[in-house]
Amino acid sequence: MHAYQVDSADGIGAVKKVEIDTPTPGDNEVLVKMKACSLNYRDLLITMGGYVRNDVRPIVPLSDGAGEVIQVGKNVTQFQPGDRVIGNFFQHWENGNIDDAGLNSALGGSINGVLSEYFILNEDCTVKIPEHLSFEEASTLPCAATTAWHALVEVGNIKAGDTILLLGTGGVSIFGLQIAKAKGAKVIITSSSDEKLKRAADMGADHTINYKDTPDWEEQVLSLTNGQGVDNVLEVGGAGTFEKSVASAKVNGTVSVIGILTGLENPTISLMTIFNLLRIQGIYVGSTAMLTDLCDFMAEHKINPVIDKAFDFSESMDAYNHMASAKHFGKIVITN
Ligand SMILES: NC(=O)c1ccc[n+]([C@@H]2O[C@H](COP(=O)([O-])OP(=O)(O)OC[C@H]3O[C@@H](n4cnc5c(N)ncnc54)[C@H](OP(=O)(O)O)[C@@H]3O)[C@@H](O)[C@H]2O)c1
């Protein structure tokens, strides 16, 4: 079958088109014909090496794939050929707390991912696609959307009237916006682009801040919240934004530590973390149960993921380069 593999840590150039054997499903696995997959910032990091717990190379990249089941293992009971499915990011995390086996089962990082004509999923970590979603839309859910759901709903207990701070307009943040608004929360979102902020406002964001024009954006967050701060920050920025996110959170609020878009250098621990009794909560994507709940929520609220651009399978390198350019708003998809 046609596939791509990451074979070194040389950046996007490490992704090569290859011919490999079509995998055969084990007793509890399904074989899926890939119809669409989506990119996450993490997929760029993986081309540079060192982002996953157990670096495996060569490896088929990308965690987020949607497709049609074409073959099932002999013990599979929940799926049959023709079913439209997506795979959970972690192929051995069904529910509850994650363990070592779960952590070592990240698609496109620890085990072969989905940027190939066919891919294998564990039956217990496979989810049916909500009827209102296309393959392209569904392919965006396993990583970015589940992460936003985990931070906002699963550990954030978001409720109507809460205020949520989102940084930038990438995949996690735009799903955060859609989930938070459907939950009746207020949203403050930042971006480097006024055009992207306008789009976010059109989607329901209550307040927008250009973080390039307003480098001290945490002060504006406080002023927009009467000096109180926000209930939960989806902290995707890392070293360059962490301290500002801490300063933006309210007493007893949460900083959901998700990403490293600006790098990894250790930020200073702020006294505000102590004096405001903040919860600094690490988030690592989510379980199959969380992905299932997210799908039900999206179906109930008829939420459609925001797709910035779709590329053909043969143009996968263009998709990687588009993500690296950070010109996108929402998700980048590859179709087959
Ligand atoms: N922990 C987890 O489980 C998990 C899961 C998913 C993602 N992540 C991490 O979360 C981060 C975001 O991932 P993603 O896939 O959503 O990325 P993405 O779609 O590539 O997001 C890129 C966007 O981030 C924004 N950005 C960049 N620098 C920023 C800054 N200094 N302040 C505010 N926004 C900034 C930019 O938005 P504008 O163009 O609007 O300025 C940029 O377009 C990555 O570090 C990723 O590794 C972690």
Side-chain angles (χ1 to χ4, degrees), residues 40-42 45 51 143-144 147 167-173 190-193 196 211 236 241 257-262 283-285 323 326 328 330:
N40 292 283
Y41 190 78
R42 157 263 191 192
L45 295 174
Y51 188 69
C143 182
T147 300
L167 307 184
T169 57
V172 174
S173 297
T190 73
S191 175
S192 56
S193 151
K196 290 182 177 182
Y211 64 81
V236 294
T241 56
V257 181
I258 294 172
I260 51 168
L261 286 165
T262 66
I283 299 287
Y284 196 8
V285 197
M323 167 143 267
H328 60 287

Side-chain angles (χ1 to χ4, degrees), residues 53 90-93 98-106 110-111:
R53 280 166 54 104
F90 290 112
Q91 279 293 289
H92 290 289
W93 188 12
I98 196 164
D99 58 16
D100 271 353
L103 284 166
N104 290 331
S105 69
S110 306
I111 61 173

Side-chain angles (χ1 to χ4, degrees), residues 191-202:
S191 175
S192 56
S193 151
D194 288 340
E195 198 186 324
K196 290 182 177 182
L197 287 174
K198 164 88 175 56
R199 286 187 69 183
D202 290 345

